[in-house]
């Protein structure tokens, strides 16, 4: 199925696909619910029999008690089946929700980074956690309970029409007015519901932004103004729900009052027919009893209509993520890279409509150290991320060992490349486990060897629990330099033949930087290295320096060659040397 066809799919189609692994449990749940409906109808038949016997004087005390006991047993069986039905549907639903969340998380891992970053983390969290969780009640109850209530109401209605069709029509007199009251609640429904979605997303995004930026807010004394933004979002979130409730309160109250009032039609018409002799007392009483079993189940079923509307919207949001294009990669490779060389051929790339790389071509020989330098925003990190397969090129190609990376499975690329960015992420795991993520199955001794190699061992051992110290969310329990050094240890643990270092030593103090740089040089021998750096001593000894400006390569060569050429690189070096001489 192509992407265009997927976009045309309805939320129902997506829901059927997402629930497919548990369809047999849902089917069993419906069958149990329908069996419960059948059990709930039997007491009505016994009631009719009991009423007739009482009115014609053929009933005795023992027989009546026996009939009441049988009715009670059928009702008990009905609720047992109801419990079986809802337990089964809940079991299926929790597995479906888990499957939806896993599919969403797996999808984020296969989407281009640029596509992922189009939404805020607060939006993703809201969809994956709160929004998906909010459909649990609907999925778990709507299948068995809505089905059983509708079927039960129809069955009682058919039975009522069988007893006397005139009284059946009399009972339905209130139906149009009740429906009209409920319909008024759906005036501008989509507009109101979308407003609640928009305000809830804004509240989530504002909350995440406030929490993530709390350090800056406190440091610059902006807590009052920043909190005001959150208060405004919270107020808007509350107001949209209150406004929606107020617009529905009359229709809801009137509908709930009128819809169950079946006696409004039954009593006057029944009395008239009884007085004319065309309706017996037994039939009249039977109709009154049966009428109480029609509208209440329908009201219960109707109560799920709002949930159904929300379900469609939420499944639409889930589908919007699931149908995004993945990085285009085959399952298997027809040809593997011959070596660890990297070549870019007329590469162009744009963030949305803004092109940031304009026909970049370069070649990195295997086993060499290459540096990318240039002003901020020139496109250095974009080139590194394209090589690391975090994005796909807009046009042109990137060759890895003579093979287009788009012709290689994603795992083949990630196995060959270790990427260390300036803002590397540490998980809320122990230091040991964070480093071990570079190579699953590595022993504790191998992890500690990698830490020693990049100068991490001593500071790790000084932590409260050594290697078992938990790093905290995003590595919050460690300093920026400590996080960076653990990230480099993790990359070294991977032992990939190609290493990309995007400002890898930016957060490290000068004393640690020298030690870390020496460790990187020793451990990356015979590997293909690409580094992005602003510090002169980091790039001076590179085999090849590529100068990027305005999304293009404007100079390339060794440090001495570029100094002889003049231009941007020479000005870069001279400004750095001048800055070193500054004193306060």
């Amino acid at each position: 199925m192509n992407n265009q066809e997927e976009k045309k799919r309805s939320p129902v189609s997506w829901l059927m696909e997402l629930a497919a692994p548990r369809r047999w449990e849902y089917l069993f749940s419906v069958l149990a619910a329908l069996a419960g409906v059948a059990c709930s109808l039997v007491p009505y038949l016994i009631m009719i029999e009991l009423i007739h016997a009482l009115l014609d004087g053929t009933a005795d005390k023992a027989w009546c008690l026996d009939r009441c006991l049988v009715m009670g047993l059928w009702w008990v069986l009905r609720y047992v089946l109801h419990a079986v039905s809802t337990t089964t549907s809940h079991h299926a639903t929790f597995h479906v929700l888990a499957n939806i969340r896993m599919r969403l998380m797996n999808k984020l891992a296969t989407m281009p980074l640029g596509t992922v970053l189009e939404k805020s983390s607060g939006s993703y969290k809201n969809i994956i956690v709160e929004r998906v969780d909010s459909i649990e009640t609907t999925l778990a109850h709507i299948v068995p309970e809505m089905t059983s209530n509708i079927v039960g109401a129809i069955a009682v209605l058919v039975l009522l029409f069988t007893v006397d069709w005139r009284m059946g029509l009399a009972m339905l007199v209130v139906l149009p007015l009740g429906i009209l009251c409920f319909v008024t609640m759906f005036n501008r429904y989509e507009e109101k519901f979308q407003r609640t979605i928009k305000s809830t997303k804004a509240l989530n995004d504002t909350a995440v932004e406030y929490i993530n930026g709390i350090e800056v807010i406190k440091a610059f004394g902006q807590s009052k103004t920043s909190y005001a933004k959150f208060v405004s979002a919270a107020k808007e979130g509350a107001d949209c729900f209150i406004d929606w409730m107020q617009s529905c309160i009359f229709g809801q109250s009137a509908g709930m009052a009128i819809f169950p009032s079946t006696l409004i039609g039954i009593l006057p018409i029944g009395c008239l027919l009884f007085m004319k002799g065309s309706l017996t007392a037994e039939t009249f009483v039977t109709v009154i009893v049966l009428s109480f079993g029609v509208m209440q189940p329908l009201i219960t079923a109707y109560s799920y209509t709002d949930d159904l509307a929300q379900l469609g919207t939420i499944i639409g949001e889930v589908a919007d993520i699931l149908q995004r294009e993945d990085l285009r990669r085959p399952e298997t490779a027809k040809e593997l890279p011959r070596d660890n060389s990297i070549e870019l051929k007329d590469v162009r790339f744009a963030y949305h409509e803004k092109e940031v790389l304009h026909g970049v071509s370069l070649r990195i020989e295997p086993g060499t150290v290459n540096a990318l330098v240039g002003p901020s925003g020139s496109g250095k990190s974009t080139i590194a991320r394209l090589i690391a397969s975090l994005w796909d090129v807009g046009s042109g190609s990137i060759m890895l060992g003579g093979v287009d990376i788009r012709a290689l499975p994603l795992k083949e690329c990630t196995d060959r490349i270790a990427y260390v960015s300036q803002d590397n992420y540490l998980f809320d795991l122990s230091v040991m486990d964070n480093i071990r993520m570079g190579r699953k199955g590595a022993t504790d001794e191998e992890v500690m060897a990698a830490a020693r190699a990049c100068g991490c061992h001593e500071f790790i051992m000084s932590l409260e629990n050594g290697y078992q110290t938990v790093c905290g969310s995003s590595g919050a329990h460690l300093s920026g330099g400590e996080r960076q050094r653990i990230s480099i240890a993790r990359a070294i643990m991977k032992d990939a033949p190609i290493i990309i270092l995007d400002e890898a030593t930016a957060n490290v103090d000068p004393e640690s930087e020298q030690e870390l740089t020496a460790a990187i040089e020793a451990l990356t021998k015979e590997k293909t290295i690409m580094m992005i750096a602003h510090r002169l001593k980091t790039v001076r000894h590179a085999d090849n320096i590529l100068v990027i400006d305005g999304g293009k390569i404007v100079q390339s060569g060794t440090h001495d060659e570029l100094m002889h050429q003049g231009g941007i690189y020479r000005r870069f070096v001279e400004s750095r040397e001048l800055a070193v001489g500054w004193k306060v």
Side-chain angles (χ1 to χ4, degrees):
M1 183 179 293
N2 59 41
N3 192 56
Q4 191 65 25
E5 290 174 333
E6 285 210 335
K7 287 184 178 179
K8 295 178 181 177
R9 292 177 62 185
S10 67
V12 174
S13 173
W14 275 105
L15 184 59
M16 294 295 288
E17 177 186 326
L18 295 168
R22 296 285 163 173
R23 60 181 177 273
W24 295 113
E25 284 184 87
Y26 282 119
L27 178 59
F28 177 78
S29 174
V30 171
L31 292 175
L34 293 176
V37 170
C39 291
S40 67
L41 291 177
V42 175
Y44 285 104
L45 299 175
I46 297 174
M47 268 187 243
I48 294 172
E49 181 186 12
L50 192 59
I51 290 168
H52 286 182
L54 288 171
L55 291 176
D56 63 21
T58 59
D60 59 57
K61 183 177 179 181
W63 182 83
C64 289
L65 290 175
D66 178 69
R67 294 290 86 192
C68 291
L69 178 61
V70 172
M71 275 196 295
L73 291 175
W74 279 107
W75 275 108
V76 169
L77 181 57
R78 187 262 181 192
Y79 282 108
V80 168
L81 289 169
H82 173 79
V84 170
S85 174
T86 54
T87 300
T88 305
S89 65
H90 275 85
H91 183 269
T93 297
F94 284 123
H95 279 87
V96 169
L97 298 187
N99 178 53
I100 292 174
R101 287 184 171 125
M102 286 189 287
R103 283 192 59 172
L104 287 170
M105 297 304 291
N106 290 335
K107 183 67 179 182
L108 292 181
T110 59
M111 285 162 54
L113 181 61
T115 306
V116 175
L117 296 178
E118 287 177 1
K119 284 181 178 286
S120 67
S121 59
S123 294
Y124 284 118
K125 178 254 184 188
N126 184 34
I127 293 172
I128 296 171
V129 182
E130 283 90 355
R131 304 288 287 160
V132 171
D133 189 64
S134 68
I135 66 177
E136 178 270 324
T137 302
T138 308
L139 281 181
H141 292 272
I142 200 169
V143 175
E145 294 189 16
M146 191 171 187
T147 303
S148 62
N149 278 292
I150 291 175
V151 171
I154 291 173
V156 174
L157 186 62
V158 169
L159 182 59
L160 195 151
F161 269 85
T162 303
V163 172
D164 191 299
W165 65 271
R166 298 169 301 175
M167 297 306 294
L169 292 175
M171 189 204 70
L172 298 179
V173 167
V174 296
L175 194 61
L177 184 57
I179 290 175
L180 180 63
C181 292
F182 284 132
V183 166
T184 61
M185 296 170 57
F186 289 91
N187 182 36
R188 296 167 55 209
Y189 178 90
E190 185 64 23
E191 175 188 334
K192 296 169 186 173
F193 185 48
Q194 289 300 326
R195 182 188 171 196
T196 65
I197 293 173
K198 184 178 178 181
S199 63
T200 302
K201 285 182 178 179
L203 179 58
N204 273 278
D205 292 346
T206 306
V208 171
E209 178 187 24
Y210 183 81
I211 294 168
N212 288 341
I214 194 68
E215 183 178 354
V216 176
I217 290 169
K218 286 180 175 295
F220 289 91
Q222 298 297 316
S223 56
K224 186 174 182 180
T225 55
S226 300
Y227 189 68
K229 182 180 178 182
F230 176 77
V231 170
S232 176
K235 186 176 185 302
E236 169 60 21
D239 286 347
C240 68
F241 281 100
I242 293 171
D243 293 343
W244 191 3
M245 180 193 70
Q246 288 177 340
S247 69
C248 295
I249 193 68
F250 175 78
Q252 172 78 5
S253 301
M256 292 298 290
I258 296 170
F259 210 66
S261 303
T262 53
L263 296 182
I264 291 176
I266 288 175
L267 288 178
I269 295 175
C271 290
L272 182 62
L273 294 175
F274 178 75
M275 286 186 292
K276 286 186 176 183
S278 61
L279 182 69
T280 64
E282 293 89 342
T283 303
F284 194 10
V285 175
T286 299
V287 168
I288 291 173
V289 172
L290 289 177
S291 69
F292 294 121
V294 176
M295 292 307 181
Q296 192 56 49
L298 289 179
I299 290 174
T300 303
Y302 168 79
S303 67
Y304 291 110
T305 55
D306 190 49
D307 294 324
L308 281 173
Q310 294 184 33
L311 178 65
T313 301
I314 295 168
I315 292 298
E317 292 177 340
V318 171
D320 179 61
I321 296 175
L322 293 180
Q323 67 191 12
R324 297 291 182 94
E325 287 192 10
D326 292 332
L327 280 169
R328 297 182 292 275
R329 297 291 188 268
E331 293 293 326
T332 57
K334 295 181 179 179
E335 180 185 3
L336 292 176
R338 298 184 296 272
D339 53 35
N340 297 318
S341 64
I342 301 170
E343 185 174 5
L344 275 67
K345 296 181 178 180
D346 194 29
V347 168
R348 295 179 179 274
F349 181 77
Y351 294 109
H352 298 293
E353 302 300 321
K354 182 181 179 182
E355 187 173 87
V356 293
L357 295 182
H358 315 292
V360 173
S361 297
L362 62 87
R363 179 173 174 80
I364 295 174
E365 298 295 338
T368 61
V369 177
N370 303 264
L372 296 181
V373 299
S376 296
S378 59
K380 306 183 298 298
S381 293
T382 301
I383 292 173
R385 289 168 176 171
L386 288 171
I387 295 172
S389 290
L390 299 182
W391 278 296
D392 265 335
V393 298
S395 63
S397 62
I398 298 177
M399 313 297 287
L400 186 61
V403 180
D404 194 318
I405 61 172
R406 289 170 295 189
L408 295 171
L410 190 59
K411 188 176 186 304
E412 182 69 30
C413 293
T414 55
D415 285 347
R416 288 177 176 268
I417 299 173
Y419 177 74
V420 183
S421 74
Q422 181 178 347
D423 302 313
N424 257 286
Y425 189 92
L426 295 185
F427 292 89
D428 192 15
L429 301 169
S430 68
V431 173
M432 178 77 73
D433 289 336
N434 267 286
I435 297 176
R436 187 179 279 120
M437 291 184 75
R439 189 173 80 243
K440 290 184 177 180
T443 64
D444 291 356
E445 289 72 21
E446 289 173 327
V447 170
M448 287 188 280
R452 285 191 182 93
C454 64
C456 293
H457 180 73
E458 289 186 7
F459 97 77
I460 292 174
M461 293 304 295
S462 68
L463 297 174
E464 183 179 3
N465 296 308
Y467 281 87
Q468 299 307 316
T469 302
V470 176
C471 297
S473 178
S474 304
H477 296 168
L478 305 174
S479 70
E482 290 169 343
R483 289 196 297 270
Q484 196 69 15
R485 291 160 75 181
I486 290 174
S487 299
I488 293 172
R490 181 167 60 192
I492 291 170
M493 189 86 250
K494 187 175 182 180
D495 195 28
I498 299 173
I499 299 177
I500 300 175
L501 304 170
D502 188 352
E503 291 285 2
T505 60
N507 293 323
V508 181
D509 57 81
E511 292 77 9
S512 299
E513 181 188 8
Q514 186 173 0
E515 180 183 0
L516 188 56
T517 302
I520 292 174
E521 290 175 356
L523 291 163
T524 56
K525 285 181 179 178
E526 300 182 359
K527 296 182 185 291
T528 303
I529 310 299
M530 173 182 279
M531 63 173 67
I532 298 172
H534 289 102
R535 297 179 182 178
L536 177 60
K537 60 183 178 182
T538 307
V539 303
R540 182 187 290 272
H541 302 295
D543 298 312
N544 188 32
I545 300 172
L546 300 159
V547 183
I548 317 294
D549 187 33
K552 296 180 180 179
I553 296 178
V554 295
Q555 287 183 292
S556 66
T558 64
H559 171 76
D560 292 336
E561 290 171 347
L562 293 176
M563 289 299 290
H564 181 72
Q565 289 178 19
I568 292 177
Y569 182 78
R570 183 169 176 172
R571 291 197 298 272
F572 163 77
V573 172
E574 289 174 348
S575 65
R576 292 300 185 276
E577 289 178 342
L578 180 62
V580 170
W582 290 353
K583 295 186 182 298
V584 178

